Amino acid sequence: MTRREFINQSSLSIGAVYAALNAWGFIYPAPAGAFDLQKTDKTGKVLILGAGLAGLAAAYELEKLGYQCTLLEARTRAGGRIWTIREGTQETEIGGEKQIAHFDKGLYLNAGAARIPNHHELSIHYCRELKIPLEVFINMNEAAYFYAEGQGTLANQPIKIRQLHADLRGYTAELAAKAIHAENLDAELSSEDAEKLIAYLKAEGDLVKNNQYQGSERRGYGFAFGATAAEAPAPAFALPDIIKSGLLHPAFSNVGEYTYHQQPTLLQPVGGMDRLVEAFKEKVGHLITYQAEVKEIYNLESGVKVLFQNNSGKTQEITADYCICTLPLPMLKKVKSNLSGDIQRAADFVPYMKTGKIGLQFKRRFWEEDDGIFGGISKTNMDITQIFYPSYGFTNSKGILKGYYNFHERAVRFADLSLADREKQALAEGGKIHPQYATEFENSFSLAWHKIPFSEGGWADYKANDRKLYFPTLLKADGAVYFAGEHTTYLNAWMAGAFESARRVVKQIHERVQAD
């Protein structure tokens, strides 16, 4: 690896990717601003398919405007992919076995959405309006670990994130400073500018004589010092060892530190993400018909007709002036309809993320007691991908770790295992980072979103061509049918996307009613 290649590679860990994506217009902020639609005497009947966040928010806003709403929800619960696993939670995956959560009372796993960035103003707006207290979600914690399985002296052992970050920052600064003096970066700098840049690099990288990086207190110490021991920073890892051990792999990139949506400090509702769902249910829960699986959707000459199967297996029919369909596209493509060919093609061809999680309950919060980790994420190139530490219940006796959160092929491999084997593999791989797993583990609950009934995917995983071909169609009404959900926004996988889509269709319907 040349100096230039190393500097380019290291830029992945100091934010250059985000800056480039932002400059090219590939990052879309969450919407903001008041929802200022005016209530009038002209309203109508709206049928909402799905009681996830988009459906709940749409019903909530339409009710304020005086519309008559009905929500059909196929599950026995509201919230969709806003799903918090607690004691007694039950689920049976497609082709899987029944699973019941045995978590202790007060402990929980946010199986779906779990984080709110500070700039997702609609998500924060609804928490504020519905009086849901928020607390900090620690997304980035340098006390957590990197674990690279492979070759090299630093492989196959947990490495504190702060150590690696400090060393990479130092070596990057050292190489840049040396390259500037050697006039080896192609760009022309005046001698005065070069010295100013070197002064910055010395401070940024803790460089010493001859612009060398030899480690610093930033990476921590080999022992706890205090009244009886003087500070002595642990020596830096050698740069070749870092490279050879695979710790520059994208699996260890600082997603939680430098990207726009994944910030070091995020927010979460106190008590679990389902607090948001429960607050909406207090407002519009009486409008929901549960265990109502949509089977057919038809635009009529005036209005819309929907056929659904109720909890006794009988087919029922309901009509309305308008319909808001929030069904995930893998569900919509199973529904018989007279919707346009463009809508049906979008449902057929927009891919969804395959992703899975497991909650592991431990009888002792060893990550806090033994490792000093309070919140944050450890990352690895093993199939578990990452371990999330809870940002609630600090210093309590027990806790739940998110023992894996993986995607694509890794998620498929875990999903294809039995529940017992998922648990076994999560414990085996996670135990390489935390040996305490073996003695402290109590129970688990795992899920594969692409096998969860009525979801069959984590979120819409648009590729560039999909966005061009199918996305615009989903933003327009098809007769009396409108489409909402995170898949109808650029904020895929985020609650703010669901909220944005709900507001968009409510505005479209209200303006259409007022214009008639």
Side-chain angles (χ1 to χ4, degrees):
M1 180 179 287
T2 66
R3 289 180 175 183
R4 186 181 308 281
E5 289 170 339
F6 172 71
I7 291 171
N8 287 339
Q9 178 81 351
S10 297
S11 71
L12 290 173
S13 66
I14 56 176
V17 169
Y18 164 72
L21 291 175
N22 190 40
W24 292 331
F26 292 146
I27 293 178
Y28 299 86
F35 202 41
D36 55 358
L37 298 181
Q38 299 301 310
K39 185 175 181 179
T40 73
D41 292 334
K42 296 182 67 174
T43 62
K45 182 179 178 181
V46 181
L47 178 61
I48 301 172
L49 310 182
L53 274 197
L56 292 169
Y60 176 65
E61 296 295 351
L62 284 167
E63 275 240 306
K64 290 181 185 178
L65 295 169
Y67 288 80
Q68 180 183 349
C69 297
T70 299
L71 291 96
L72 299 182
E73 171 54 52
R75 296 179 169 93
T76 58
R77 63 173 179 86
R81 285 163 285 175
I82 311 305
W83 186 29
T84 301
I85 309 300
R86 301 179 183 277
E87 177 189 18
T89 297
Q90 299 185 26
E91 185 61 273
T92 302
E93 294 179 4
I94 297 168
E97 55 195 290
K98 184 176 181 179
Q99 186 175 193
I100 302 175
H102 298 292
F103 296 155
D104 281 18
K105 186 175 181 179
L107 299 181
Y108 61 85
L109 167 73
N110 285 321
R115 300 172 273 193
I116 305 174
N118 74 288
H119 53 82
H120 282 198
E121 295 187 26
L122 280 186
S123 297
I124 295 172
H125 160 78
Y126 282 114
C127 288
R128 183 182 292 115
E129 184 167 314
L130 297 171
K131 299 184 176 5
I132 300 166
L134 296 173
E135 62 188 359
V136 167
F137 180 101
I138 302 169
N139 202 39
M140 172 63 192
N141 184 352
E142 291 199 331
Y145 293 109
F146 285 160
Y147 185 97
E149 195 168 56
Q151 303 298 318
T153 58
L154 299 179
N156 308 310
Q157 61 177 303
I159 301 294
K160 284 287 185 182
I161 295 174
R162 72 162 57 92
Q163 295 177 325
L164 189 72
H165 281 184
D167 290 351
L168 283 176
R169 188 178 296 115
Y171 287 126
T172 301
E174 175 185 331
L175 290 173
K178 289 178 178 178
I180 289 168
H181 270 313
E183 298 179 350
N184 205 28
L185 282 182
D186 303 326
E188 294 183 5
L189 287 174
S190 69
S191 57
E192 182 180 358
D193 288 342
E195 291 308 314
K196 288 179 179 178
L197 180 55
I198 289 173
Y200 163 77
L201 292 171
K202 284 183 175 180
E204 176 68 15
D206 261 358
L207 306 185
V208 294
K209 186 178 180 181
N210 298 324
N211 297 326
Q212 289 183 323
Y213 173 71
Q214 297 177 345
S216 76
E217 59 85 23
R218 294 178 181 176
R219 66 190 311 283
Y221 298 86
F223 55 88
F225 60 89
T228 59
E231 59 187 62
F237 299 133
L239 178 57
D241 289 342
I242 294 174
I243 296 171
K244 291 175 183 176
S245 297
L247 289 164
L248 292 183
H249 188 275
F252 305 105
S253 62
N254 300 349
V255 171
E257 187 171 3
Y258 289 114
T259 64
Y260 188 58
H261 297 292
Q262 294 282 356
Q263 304 158 354
T265 302
L266 300 166
L267 298 167
Q268 64 180 4
V270 174
M273 194 59 78
D274 61 353
R275 299 302 90 193
L276 186 54
V277 176
E278 293 303 314
F280 272 116
K281 283 172 59 181
E282 288 183 12
K283 303 295 185 180
V284 298
H286 61 286
L287 305 176
I288 304 172
T289 299
Y290 292 100
Q291 292 182 280
E293 184 179 355
V294 174
K295 294 294 187 180
E296 301 179 39
I297 303 172
Y298 297 107
N299 272 303
L300 305 176
E301 186 173 336
S302 177
V304 64
K305 177 177 70 175
V306 169
L307 278 65
F308 67 94
Q309 190 175 78
N310 64 22
N311 58 357
S312 62
K314 295 182 179 180
T315 299
Q316 292 182 239
E317 179 183 308
I318 185 170
T319 59
D321 300 312
Y322 302 98
C323 173
I324 299 175
C325 178
T326 74
L327 304 180
L329 296 180
M331 297 296 96
L332 181 58
K333 72 180 179 181
K334 296 181 179 182
V335 174
K336 186 178 179 181
S337 75
N338 64 353
L339 296 172
S340 72
D342 287 343
I343 291 294
Q344 294 186 38
R345 280 188 290 274
D348 285 341
F349 295 115
V350 173
Y352 269 55
M353 177 61 70
K354 292 178 173 60
T355 182
K357 296 182 180 181
I358 192 170
L360 303 173
Q361 179 175 306
F362 293 94
K363 57 189 175 185
R364 184 172 70 89
R365 296 171 79 101
F366 57 81
W367 55 93
E368 296 175 1
E369 296 177 15
D370 302 346
D371 302 304
I373 301 173
F374 293 82
I377 305 170
S378 286
K379 297 183 179 181
T380 177
N381 60 354
M382 294 184 289
D383 279 352
I384 60 172
T385 302
Q386 48 195 337
I387 297 172
F388 282 62
Y389 305 96
S391 291
Y392 73 95
F394 295 134
T395 74
N396 284 351
S397 58
K398 293 186 178 184
I400 292 175
L401 295 183
K402 192 176 295 179
Y404 65 74
Y405 181 19
N406 48 24
F407 317 94
H408 304 297
E409 292 81 4
R410 293 181 177 190
V412 172
R413 286 198 289 270
F414 263 97
D416 289 344
L417 299 174
S418 67
L419 298 178
D421 284 342
R422 290 180 192 175
E423 176 184 284
K424 181 178 179 181
Q425 185 166 343
L427 291 174
E429 293 189 9
K432 295 178 182 179
I433 300 172
H434 293 293
Q436 303 97 319
Y437 271 27
T439 57
E440 306 294 346
F441 173 71
E442 289 191 326
N443 58 71
S444 73
F445 190 100
S446 65
L447 63 139
W449 273 107
H450 56 285
K451 290 190 173 185
I452 297 297
F454 310 117
S455 289
E456 297 193 20
W459 54 85
D461 186 26
Y462 283 99
K463 307 301 185 287
N465 199 49
D466 301 324
R467 186 74 73 175
K468 179 180 177 182
L469 290 176
Y470 310 121
F471 180 68
T473 301
L474 297 170
L475 303 183
K476 300 177 292 186
D478 187 323
V481 181
Y482 292 76
F483 301 92
E486 55 84 23
H487 56 282
T488 68
T489 74
Y490 283 98
L491 284 164
N492 303 124
W494 291 102
M495 296 192 303
F499 288 137
E500 177 190 6
S501 72
R503 287 193 164 200
R504 173 179 52 78
V505 296
V506 168
K507 182 177 181 181
Q508 288 173 338
I509 290 172
H510 190 57
E511 289 178 346
R512 180 170 171 177
V513 169
Q514 303 315 305
D516 285 344

